[in-house]
Amino acid sequence: MPIHTIRLFGDPVLRTKAEPVVDFDRELRTLVKDLQETMMEAPGSGLAAPQIGVGLRVFTYYVDGELGHLVNPDLSLSDEEQEGDEGCLSLPDLVFDTRRALRVVAKGFDQHGEPVTIEGSELLARCIQHETDHLDGILFIDRLDRETRKLALKAIREAEWNGAAPPAVKVSPHATFGRAI
Ligand code: NI
């Protein structure tokens, strides 16, 4: 099974709402397998289909040693919240404190079309919310408070993976006013 290239921030597929899965066929099982393998290789604790360029409502997770997947997720969130570090394979090296619901009940289907319910708290709940957001074209930086989001956008602009030139190393303490010396 191929390991896929993970799409990075700026790719329109990450901002596109994914379609519900209708056919629980062999193609879907291949997608789940590819997602799992690409996630494990990264390595990551979750991966959603749009991140490998597939606009379907499917994600995989690997949290606390448990490997799983969910198709067409429908979430119920607790009112109680958690704060904690969050990152994303589509935004490499960025980690920001992100507020999420503490607990989640996720209903959906497995790759064979059997109904499943996943209940999780803390990291698993965070992961399920993050991956389901991906299916709606939402990224974790959208969930940050205003000030933190500004920092995140700055970090993205300066990120090497975003095509930014590596930062210039300043060797003189004196300003050159734009004149190369
Ligand atoms: Ni992500």
Side-chain angles (χ1 to χ4, degrees):
M1 286 297 147
I3 303 294
H4 290 256
T5 303
I6 296 176
R7 306 298 183 93
L8 297 178
F9 178 83
D11 190 317
V13 74
L14 296 174
R15 290 305 197 180
T16 306
K17 198 172 159 80
E19 296 292 325
V21 169
V22 178
D23 298 317
F24 291 79
D25 55 8
R26 196 165 154 174
E27 209 177 319
L28 175 66
R29 292 193 290 278
T30 301
L31 172 62
V32 169
K33 199 162 196 301
D34 287 3
L35 279 170
Q36 283 179 346
E37 291 185 6
T38 304
M39 173 183 71
M40 297 307 275
E41 173 76 15
S45 52
L47 192 64
Q51 291 181 279
I52 60 166
V54 178
L56 288 172
R57 302 186 75 78
V58 184
F59 68 76
T60 58
Y61 61 88
Y62 182 67
V63 176
D64 300 331
E66 193 195 334
L67 180 64
H69 69 278
L70 193 60
V71 178
N72 297 347
D74 180 25
L75 307 190
S76 303
L77 305 178
S78 65
D79 289 333
E80 202 178 340
E81 294 185 317
Q82 57 174 321
E83 292 270 2
D85 283 348
E86 194 164 317
C88 179
L89 292 172
S90 295
L91 292 145
D93 307 326
L94 268 66
V95 175
F96 289 97
D97 199 36
T98 310
R99 186 181 287 268
R100 294 283 185 183
L102 179 62
R103 287 179 301 277
V104 62
V105 178
K107 289 182 186 296
F109 300 88
D110 70 7
Q111 59 188 336
H112 305 290
E114 295 297 323
V116 289
T117 300
I118 303 167
E119 291 189 45
S121 63
E122 313 217 2
L123 188 57
L124 181 56
R126 177 177 295 281
C127 177
I128 289 170
Q129 291 168 78
H130 178 113
E131 301 313 326
T132 303
D133 270 353
H134 271 303
L135 308 181
D136 291 323
I138 296 168
L139 299 171
F140 85 100
I141 54 167
D142 305 339
R143 301 284 187 191
L144 303 176
D145 64 58
R146 222 181 115 109
E147 284 307 305
T148 314
R149 185 157 196 269
K150 268 192 205 164
L151 293 175
L153 292 174
K154 184 168 184 285
I156 290 168
R157 280 195 301 274
E158 292 171 357
E160 238 170 284
W161 53 261
N162 196 24
V169 179
K170 197 178 171 190
V171 292
S172 163
H174 307 294
T176 60
F177 304 105
R179 295 188 295 272
I181 50 170

